[in-house]
Amino acid sequence: MHSPTPPTSLLQALRRVMRPLVRLMVRKGVTYTYFSDMLKGVFVEVAEQEFRLDANAPSDSRISLLTGVHRKDVKRLRSQSPDVGDDLPAAVSLGAHLVSTWQTTPPFCTRPGDPAPLARLASTGGERSFDALVARVSKDIRARVVLDEWLRLGIARVDEHDHVHLETAAFVPQKGFDEKAAYFGHNVHDHACAAVHNLTTEGAPYFERSVHYDALSAASIARLRDAVSSEGMQALLAFNTLAADLEAQDARSADARQRVTIGLYFYSEATAATVPSEDAAPKIPA
């Protein structure tokens, strides 16, 4: 069931994975004591939900055996409700849906991936207005409320002709820590799930590839960053259009529903000084 001694390679990988998370926690005042108690709850939750021998819930003793969490703590933690849910907050989910509709659905876009400036009010813009966009996605919230929040977050701007412009190609607020934290949890969770699946589960792996180099100049990094921002976003917009079309088709069927996340990321940091080699070989995507 479990190896009594975890592989050294796994422990080294987990230590590296944890470093940026610990960096974030220290910066935001999350102490080791608080995090360790929260982590106990995660161990208990995962063992209870995903490591059952049959249809019955495992006993406190079995969860304690699997996780190393003391049985008294297991009992206490199982009696508590989880502090957070797995879904994106409603405001973030609505924002993402609105941006996707603006990017892909006429008359709100001139072509897929090219959102049109929208008249702020339906009284002046009709179906090609911000009022109409919000009404297309939700009947329960006023467009003015959404627009005020988007102006605060830097997602949209209003020009001198009272037209609303989308300022970002995806719902990633430049301001608003809670909104960015929600996406942090969603994206890192799903990327980690794909990687863990590929490491532990037999069957078809999820697509998870990257390219990495370690002897680039700052100018080259800037060029790569611009290329990823431009070309990578075009790829994501294409996937977004396809997913939106497929979701519209699937709405007519009774099949079980599944969610999907498709991501792309870019990261760079300083490395130890190296001497360029004339025979340096290109890196193979990993």
Side-chain angles (χ1 to χ4, degrees), residues 11-79:
L11 295 177
Q12 291 173 337
L14 289 173
R15 181 181 178 86
R16 185 174 189 185
V17 167
M18 285 304 301
R19 287 187 64 87
L21 300 181
V22 170
R23 183 185 309 132
L24 174 65
M25 286 186 275
V26 172
R27 285 180 175 175
K28 294 300 180 181
V30 180
T31 64
Y32 168 76
T33 302
Y34 181 90
F35 181 68
S36 64
D37 193 59
M38 183 177 69
L39 196 58
K40 284 182 185 179
V42 177
F43 267 85
V44 170
E45 180 184 335
V46 170
E48 181 176 21
Q49 295 179 359
E50 301 183 26
F51 288 83
R52 301 187 176 197
L53 295 176
D54 48 38
N56 298 319
S59 66
D60 292 349
S61 296
R62 173 168 165 76
I63 291 178
S64 180
L65 176 65
L66 287 172
T67 64
V69 177
H70 194 281
R71 190 163 60 86
K72 290 183 178 179
D73 286 332
V74 172
K75 182 178 180 64
R76 171 178 62 84
L77 291 165
R78 294 183 81 179
S79 67

Side-chain angles (χ1 to χ4, degrees), residues 24-269:
L24 174 65
M25 286 186 275
V26 172
R27 285 180 175 175
K28 294 300 180 181
V30 180
T31 64
Y32 168 76
T33 302
Y34 181 90
F35 181 68
S36 64
D37 193 59
M38 183 177 69
L39 196 58
K40 284 182 185 179
V42 177
F43 267 85
V44 170
E45 180 184 335
V46 170
E48 181 176 21
Q49 295 179 359
E50 301 183 26
F51 288 83
R52 301 187 176 197
L53 295 176
D54 48 38
N56 298 319
S59 66
D60 292 349
S61 296
R62 173 168 165 76
I63 291 178
S64 180
L65 176 65
L66 287 172
T67 64
V69 177
H70 194 281
R71 190 163 60 86
K72 290 183 178 179
D73 286 332
V74 172
K75 182 178 180 64
R76 171 178 62 84
L77 291 165
R78 294 183 81 179
S79 67
Q80 298 175 355
S81 300
D83 292 334
V84 295
D86 292 332
D87 296 332
L88 285 169
V92 174
S93 180
L94 172 66
H97 194 176
L98 283 168
V99 169
S100 176
T101 302
W102 198 346
Q103 291 269 12
T104 62
T105 307
F108 309 114
C109 64
T110 55
R111 61 178 182 274
D114 188 11
L118 303 178
R120 183 171 62 86
L121 302 175
S123 58
T124 57
E127 287 301 307
R128 199 172 193 176
S129 65
F130 192 79
D131 282 350
L133 171 67
V134 175
R136 175 74 66 92
V137 174
S138 174
K139 304 295 185 183
D140 299 325
I141 189 166
R142 294 173 57 238
R144 182 69 210 191
V145 174
V146 176
L147 181 58
D148 286 345
E149 182 66 3
W150 279 20
L151 293 174
R152 181 184 73 85
L153 294 174
I155 295 168
R157 67 177 175 86
V158 179
D159 65 20
E160 65 275 13
H161 302 295
D162 206 29
H163 281 71
V164 185
H165 297 254
L166 184 64
E167 289 289 274
T168 177
F171 188 81
V172 183
Q174 298 303 308
K175 306 173 185 177
F177 181 82
D178 291 347
E179 292 83 1
K180 290 190 285 187
Y183 266 112
F184 167 77
H186 182 274
N187 292 340
V188 175
H189 170 273
D190 284 7
H191 190 171
C193 283
V196 169
H197 170 91
N198 294 345
L199 195 63
T200 61
T201 307
E202 295 181 359
Y206 286 110
F207 185 87
E208 191 208 7
R209 295 290 184 269
S210 64
V211 294
H212 42 91
Y213 286 75
D214 56 14
L216 289 164
S217 67
S220 294
I221 291 295
R223 184 175 175 182
L224 281 168
R225 183 193 292 269
D226 290 343
V228 171
S229 296
S230 174
E231 297 172 30
M233 184 54 69
Q234 291 305 310
L236 288 177
L237 288 172
F239 291 136
N240 181 68
T241 300
L242 175 60
D245 290 343
L246 292 172
E247 186 176 63
Q249 296 176 25
D250 292 342
R252 296 188 291 270
S253 71
D255 295 341
R257 296 295 185 242
Q258 297 190 52
R259 68 178 187 86
V260 65
T261 298
I262 304 168
L264 181 69
Y265 68 94
F266 174 94
Y267 179 72
S268 67
E269 66 180 7

